[in-house]
Amino acid sequence: MRGVTVLSKDSEFYLRRLHSLLGIIPIGLFVAQHLVINHFATQGPEAFNKASHFMESLPFVLFLEWFVIYIPLMFHAFYGVYISFTAKSNTQRYGTFRNWMFVLQRVTGVILVVFIAWHIFETRFQKAIGADEVNFDMMADILANPLMFVFYVVGVVSATFHLANGIWSFLVSWGITQSPRSQRISTYVTMGIFLALTVIGVRALLAFM
C-alpha cells in the first residue's frame, strides 16, 4: 500500500514536470508564433492571408498540427484543469503577489480551455466541413460581433498572461531560478513578455475590425 502511494506521488511529480515543459515547448512557442502570424493583419488582408497560407502549406502539416500542437495542448489543458480544481491557494490569508499570480494562472487556464475550443470550432472545424479557408475575411466576420470581439480580447490576454507567468513557474520548478533575486528578475522579464505579446495580439484583433 505504501509503495502505491509513493508511486502515485512520483507519477504526479513527473506529470507536473511534463505539463510545465509542454506549456513552454511546444505550446508556448506555438502561441507566440500564432500571435506573430496574426499580427500580419496590421499590414492588410493580403499580408495576413499570405502568412497564414505559408503556415498551412508547410510539409507534414497534419503531423505537425496533431503531434506538435493538438496532442500536447490537450494534455496540458486537461491536466491543467485537474490542477486548477485540486490546487489550494493562500490568497485570503497571505495575499502576496505570487499567490495572486498562482490563482490567475489557474483562472486563465480554465478560460483558455473554453476559448481555444471555440476558436478551433470557428476556424479549423469550419474549414474541415466546407469553409474555403481560414483567412482575413473569416476572422473579420467573426470579430464583427462586438461580444465576440470582447471574448477574443479576453482569450488573447488570458493566453499571453498564462504563457508569460508559465515561463516564470517553469524557471522555478526546473531549478533555473532558485534565488529570490533571480526570481525577482525573471518576474520583470516575464511581465515584459506579457506586455509585448498582449500588444501584438490585441493589435492583430483590432486590425480585423
Side-chain angles (χ1 to χ4, degrees):
M1 193 71 177
R2 184 178 178 184
V4 173
T5 303
V6 172
L7 179 61
S8 177
K9 289 182 179 180
D10 287 345
S11 298
E12 185 172 359
F13 172 80
Y14 288 114
L15 284 173
R16 283 177 178 265
R17 282 297 183 93
L18 179 60
H19 175 265
S20 175
L21 179 62
L22 291 178
I24 306 301
I25 305 170
I27 299 170
L29 294 177
F30 168 73
V31 170
Q33 169 263 320
H34 193 59
L35 291 172
V36 170
I37 293 297
N38 288 347
H39 195 260
F40 276 90
T42 61
Q43 301 176 24
E46 185 177 348
F48 174 80
N49 291 339
K50 184 177 180 180
S52 179
H53 178 70
F54 170 77
M55 296 304 300
E56 292 182 352
S57 62
L58 290 174
F60 311 109
V61 65
L62 287 177
F63 175 86
L64 292 173
E65 285 183 340
W66 278 100
F67 290 94
V68 179
I69 301 171
Y70 294 142
I71 292 176
L73 183 60
M74 284 188 287
F75 170 80
H76 187 80
F78 294 145
Y79 193 68
V81 169
Y82 166 78
I83 293 174
S84 297
F85 285 99
T86 57
K88 296 180 180 180
S89 62
N90 295 319
T91 53
Q92 292 182 351
R93 184 175 179 183
Y94 296 105
T96 65
F97 175 77
R98 269 299 140 200
N99 278 336
W100 281 111
M101 293 300 99
F102 175 88
V103 171
L104 287 174
Q105 187 73 359
R106 273 60 194 167
V107 171
T108 54
V110 174
I111 291 172
L112 284 171
V113 171
V114 177
F115 172 70
I116 292 171
W118 183 255
H119 180 55
I120 291 174
F121 171 77
E122 284 198 310
T123 55
R124 308 304 300 179
F125 181 76
Q126 296 305 316
K127 180 182 178 181
I129 63 174
D132 291 336
E133 59 179 329
V134 180
N135 57 18
F136 186 95
D137 291 338
M138 174 185 279
M139 290 304 305
D141 289 341
I142 292 172
L143 296 173
N145 184 327
L147 292 178
M148 195 56 61
F149 177 78
V150 172
F151 176 67
Y152 266 75
V153 170
V154 171
V156 166
V157 175
S158 295
T160 56
F161 173 84
H162 196 80
L163 173 58
N165 193 58
I167 293 173
W168 186 92
S169 299
F170 171 83
L171 294 174
V172 173
S173 62
W174 284 78
I176 299 172
T177 53
Q178 299 184 29
S179 68
R181 182 174 182 274
S182 64
Q183 292 177 15
R184 186 167 59 254
I185 292 173
S186 67
T187 295
Y188 297 137
V189 172
T190 53
M191 286 179 66
I193 292 172
F194 164 64
L195 292 174
L197 291 180
T198 298
V199 169
I200 290 172
V202 173
R203 283 196 68 199
L205 295 178
L206 291 171
F208 290 112
M209 300 294 288

